[in-house]
Amino acid sequence: MARDVIVVVQRDALPTEKESLDILFISTTGAQPVKVYRDVASVEAVYGEDGPTPNAKIVRKVTTLLNQGKTTLAETLVNKFKIVGFEPPSAKPALPATFSIGFPADALDQPIEADKELWVKFGGDDNAIVKLTTADEITTGAELAALFADTSFSKGGKTYAAAVDGVAVKYTATEDGAADSIPELFSIYTDEKRLEELAIAAEVDFVNGSNALSAPDALIETIKQFQQDEDNDWYYFMTDRDEPEFVRALSKFAEASEPSEAELGVGVEDHRKFYMGQTTDKNFADNTARAAVIYTSEELISEEPDASYTGNVGPFYPKNVTWKFKRPQDGCAPASAGTKLISLPKLTEGERDQLIENHVNFLTEEYKRQYVKEGVCLNGEFIDVVLGGDWIAKRMRDLLYDILLENANIDYSDAGFGLIATAVFQALSEAADGSHNIIARDQESNAGIFTVNIPTYADSTEEQRRNRVMPDITWEALLCGAVHQVKTKGVLRATL
């Protein structure tokens, strides 16, 4: 029975958390689980001098990241970040793949008669065959294993040679490096056509080989394993390694983190990253995207300019601002020093030009004004352009999932396509508003400068309809550029 009185009470939704860069610090002085931190004291408890894995560099980076309040133009500061600790990375030699067989230590359930020919198949591969001949009757696992001495088989372009130890037979690839995986299958037949199989229990194990890894590559492998097994919910990252070889490896890792259209099409998830590094190498160069590097001299590296630069400009995110003309401060400077900018490295005009040509950022001074030049990634793209593009991709994806999850059904029709397209329009409109400033706005209408092409039902193919895949929505937008260079012209007239 319907009630005559119904009271519904609605509450305002809780405010959503402010978007941030999702910063991760990577420490390499010892293993520590990933954890969210909000202050220096908590970091010092783990990475300080008396902590379980001391790392003065990480403590300095965190301190300078958080202490940018005197010089940043952002309205807020970084208020949380993650740190994970890894063991110190070291070079690893190449290792060969192995295929091992363990026979029973006791007597065989089925003895094998003397002067018997046997055909052994490895990994279920009819081309990976070893032929054996018994001299005497075989009654134990050790006697059977002994038959495999000095035998070999080939699979996946590699040759595997046998060594016998008691009841164990271990085939080792004669070449180091990763190999095609071999199924853990092992069969012994009494006829050449391999129709009659002996019922002999055996434990089989395949261990793949590995290529030689430098210490930087070993760190990258550790990061990838961390992503896969523990935490991939981070975007912007820094490490405690400043050596050029590490900076290059980390830059390439960040560049490779953005999946291609083909990779996205086969289900690869988009977990793109952005790396901020620092270097003391005046000739550092690495034409990679998704990474920015700031130079400082060797004696000033403890100011951690990568972290101070991040703390100074990062809080603007997701609003689009130029990373040029910013003045990071030395967050670790003693209180008696007052507000102290990171120190100006000594550079000749030629060295400055070299850094600019290599797209490496650095603190400069022009007409008694200090600022970071040029606010770019290692491939020359502006940092704000990369961050802004990443925000659009993330926001558009989030909005599309919201539509798909909040609607019981979306018709495969023009109307349904239009509903899906609202995610594109909303993301681009938000990117153009004043709180983001990522997409340029028309000077007269103040509308974002972008176009969206929505497909119709008639544009879809029969296969797309059968698989419920709508045709692509395409869009173009003009990213908002900041003024980086200003030229003025004038005439000076004097009366003498």
Side-chain angles (χ1 to χ4, degrees), residues 117-121 129-132 187-194:
E117 291 185 335
L118 304 173
W119 286 263
V120 184
K121 182 166 68 174
I129 302 295
V130 166
K131 182 181 178 182
L132 306 175
S187 305
I188 299 179
Y189 300 90
T190 57
D191 65 313
E192 188 172 2
K193 293 183 177 181
R194 298 184 294 282

Side-chain angles (χ1 to χ4, degrees), residues 16 394-410 419-420 422-423 426 430:
T16 56
K394 177 181 181 298
R395 182 59 177 153
M396 198 174 292
R397 183 173 60 244
D398 290 345
L399 289 169
L400 182 53
Y401 271 112
D402 289 344
I403 291 173
L404 295 171
L405 293 172
E406 292 170 3
N407 289 273
N409 184 67
I410 298 177
L419 178 59
I420 292 294
T422 60
Q426 183 175 340
E430 290 179 10

Side-chain angles (χ1 to χ4, degrees), residues 269-280:
E269 290 192 359
D270 187 348
H271 291 288
R272 63 186 72 184
K273 310 299 182 188
F274 189 91
Y275 166 61
M276 177 63 79
Q278 58 187 28
T279 184
T280 60

Side-chain angles (χ1 to χ4, degrees), residues 231-488:
D231 186 0
N232 203 14
D233 188 20
W234 45 278
Y235 169 61
Y236 189 102
F237 71 101
M238 291 171 277
T239 76
D240 57 359
R241 305 307 296 254
D242 303 326
E243 303 93 316
E245 61 271 22
F246 278 90
V247 177
R248 287 192 180 89
L250 292 161
S251 298
K252 287 181 170 58
F253 162 75
E255 182 179 42
S257 68
E258 182 177 0
S260 66
E261 184 176 346
E263 289 172 325
L264 290 171
V266 297
V268 174
E269 290 192 359
D270 187 348
H271 291 288
R272 63 186 72 184
K273 310 299 182 188
F274 189 91
Y275 166 61
M276 177 63 79
Q278 58 187 28
T279 184
T280 60
D281 181 2
K282 296 175 183 177
N283 297 308
F284 184 87
D286 190 38
N287 186 22
T288 51
R290 316 198 60 76
V293 173
I294 185 168
Y295 167 83
T296 192
S297 53
E298 188 74 43
E299 66 274 13
L300 301 176
I301 194 69
S302 61
E303 292 181 346
E304 312 301 342
D306 59 346
S308 60
Y309 195 22
T310 298
N312 193 272
V313 194
F316 282 100
Y317 183 85
K319 186 174 183 178
N320 181 47
V321 298
T322 176
W323 284 61
K324 188 178 180 180
F325 297 117
K326 298 302 183 289
R327 302 186 298 275
Q329 70 183 81
D330 180 4
C332 294
S336 59
T339 302
K340 181 180 179 298
L341 300 179
I342 57 173
S343 302
L344 194 69
K346 294 180 179 180
L347 294 167
T348 67
E349 195 66 29
E351 290 168 342
R352 287 159 49 91
D353 290 343
Q354 183 69 56
L355 290 171
I356 292 173
E357 183 179 332
N358 292 341
H359 309 305
V360 175
N361 304 286
F362 59 95
L363 188 70
T364 187
E365 182 174 88
E366 297 180 11
Y367 299 102
K368 299 182 180 180
R369 298 293 191 273
Q370 292 185 8
Y371 62 88
V372 174
K373 194 181 183 85
E374 297 273 329
V376 293
C377 298
L378 286 169
N379 68 340
E381 186 61 272
F382 293 110
I383 297 172
D384 53 289
V385 169
V386 176
L387 299 184
D390 288 352
W391 183 88
I392 292 174
K394 177 181 181 298
R395 182 59 177 153
M396 198 174 292
R397 183 173 60 244
D398 290 345
L399 289 169
L400 182 53
Y401 271 112
D402 289 344
I403 291 173
L404 295 171
L405 293 172
E406 292 170 3
N407 289 273
N409 184 67
I410 298 177
D411 293 337
Y412 198 96
S413 64
D414 290 351
F417 295 174
L419 178 59
I420 292 294
T422 60
V424 180
F425 279 104
Q426 183 175 340
L428 297 178
S429 297
E430 290 179 10
D433 66 29
S435 61
H436 294 91
N437 215 35
I438 298 171
I439 290 178
R441 295 188 294 275
D442 184 90
Q443 296 301 298
E444 294 183 1
S445 67
N446 206 38
I449 303 176
F450 60 83
T451 58
V452 180
N453 296 314
I454 308 174
T456 64
Y457 179 85
D459 296 324
S460 62
T461 65
E462 184 62 34
E463 183 178 359
Q464 286 175 323
R465 296 167 196 163
R466 183 169 55 250
N467 294 315
R468 304 182 184 183
V469 177
M470 67 174 288
D472 292 343
I473 296 175
T474 59
W475 57 271
E476 292 183 0
L478 179 64
L479 293 180
C480 185
V483 175
H484 275 199
Q485 292 181 329
V486 178
K487 290 184 178 180
T488 60

Side-chain angles (χ1 to χ4, degrees), residues 18 68-78 310-317 319 321 326:
K18 182 182 182 297
Q68 293 295 313
K70 294 293 191 298
T71 61
T72 184
L73 298 174
E75 295 179 355
T76 60
L77 300 174
V78 175
T310 298
N312 193 272
V313 194
F316 282 100
Y317 183 85
K319 186 174 183 178
V321 298
K326 298 302 183 289

